[in-house]
Each structure stands twice: as C-alpha cells, then as structure tokens.
Amino acid sequence: GIMASATVDRGRWGLWRSRWAAIGAAVAVTLGGGGLVAVNAATSPTSSIVTIDPVRILDTRIDVGLPGPFVSAVSQKLQVTGETVPVGATGVLLNVTVVSPTAAGFLSVRPGDATGAPSTSSLNFEGADLIPNAVQVGLPTTGANAGQIDITYDAYGVAGPTTEVLVDVVGTGVDRERWRGG
C-alpha cells in the first residue's frame, strides 16, 4: 500500500508545508503513465493505480458510510471495498474534506489495521474551516480489517470537539498480477 502524509505541525508554515507535500504526492501519483502508476511497498504486492469517476463513500452530515460527526480522539473504521472499490484492492486515492470543525486540529486517514493514536496527519485545519485534501492510503487485503481505512479527528489532544467528514474515492490500487489476469 501507499500512504502519504505529513507530521502534525501546529504552525502556519507547517500547515502549508504539509498541504503542499500532500498535494505534491497526489500530483506525482496522478501524473503517472496515463492514469496508471506502479506502486511498490515492502510488505504488499506490486500495485497499479486505476483512476475512477469520483464516488462519495462517506458523508457524516447525512450518515452515508458512518454516522457523524467525528468526535476528537475517537477513531472510526470505514469499509472501503465492496461496491465502488473491488475486494482485494491494495489502496485508494481519496479526496477527503472536513466540514465545520468546532476546533482546530488534524484528520488522520490510515490503513484499517492501524493501531494506537495517529502520529501523522492527512489534513490540518482551523476551526470552522472547509478543507479538502488528496489522500493516498493503503488497504489491508486480509484479516478483520481487510478493505478498511481508519479515520481519526484530533483537536490537538482536546476531547470533545467535532467535525463532519466527506470522503470521495477517485482511484483504486489493484494487485498488478490480478489486474492483468496473471
């Protein structure tokens, strides 16, 4: 799988730096050969990214995917594979948006088998922002969390603040051998 994220940094410089790093990573994947990019990971099969028309799989404002809103420091698992993303997919390209957070913080999107508190962010934001960001995340292909992602909103250690979260799938990672029929 592949996961691009930046270390949490509360300063404005770190906020912009992490946004540009994530955007740059998304552009690097997107600009691969005609919508397909080889992705290699130490513990996963070689994958190719296949772009798709965006499909919304999470909208906590209307309880699509998971009921909302997200509460600070409480992780939730979202099943990604099934309808839009094929079972066995090794990763996804997402557009993730926070809507009306009640406090500044960060959103972390990790593979579904992630444990413990996240130490990286996928989006950083101030209170009341509407912030989207491209996110790439690997998917476990076996075990209890196969095909899931783990999403956490953290208001920098403060329990209680909330935010709505939207997730659109814009691409999937598939095992190149299975995709080619090999």
Side-chain angles (χ1 to χ4, degrees):
I2 181 170
M3 183 172 158
S5 54
T7 302
V8 176
D9 187 340
R10 293 183 204 194
R12 288 251 181 232
W13 171 247
L15 177 68
W16 284 107
R17 184 176 60 227
S18 62
R19 283 185 185 161
W20 280 110
I23 290 168
V27 169
V29 169
T30 304
L31 292 179
L36 297 177
V37 170
V39 178
N40 294 311
T43 59
S44 298
T46 302
S47 299
S48 292
I49 302 298
V50 179
T51 57
I52 62 171
D53 288 334
V55 176
R56 180 145 301 158
I57 61 169
L58 177 65
D59 187 339
T60 59
R61 300 170 303 176
I62 57 173
D63 294 345
V64 169
L66 295 169
F70 273 78
V71 177
S72 179
V74 178
S75 292
Q76 294 191 61
K77 306 283 186 191
L78 175 65
Q79 185 67 41
V80 174
T81 59
E83 292 181 32
T84 302
V85 177
V87 171
T90 57
V92 284
L93 297 177
L94 308 170
N95 184 39
V96 179
T97 306
V98 293
V99 179
S100 303
T102 59
F106 67 94
L107 194 76
S108 179
V109 180
R110 308 181 295 165
D113 55 1
T115 59
S119 61
T120 60
S121 66
S122 302
L123 293 94
N124 299 293
F125 47 86
E126 299 297 322
D129 275 353
L130 173 69
I131 300 291
N133 200 20
V135 175
Q136 306 156 57
V137 63
L139 294 175
T141 56
T142 60
N145 302 113
Q148 295 182 351
I149 58 175
D150 179 85
I151 305 171
T152 306
Y153 162 48
D154 190 323
Y156 300 123
V158 177
T162 62
T163 189
E164 302 291 352
V165 178
L166 314 177
V167 173
D168 299 322
V169 176
V170 297
T172 64
V174 294
D175 179 324
R176 279 202 291 181
E177 294 306 312
R178 286 181 53 186
W179 185 57
R180 289 183 185 166

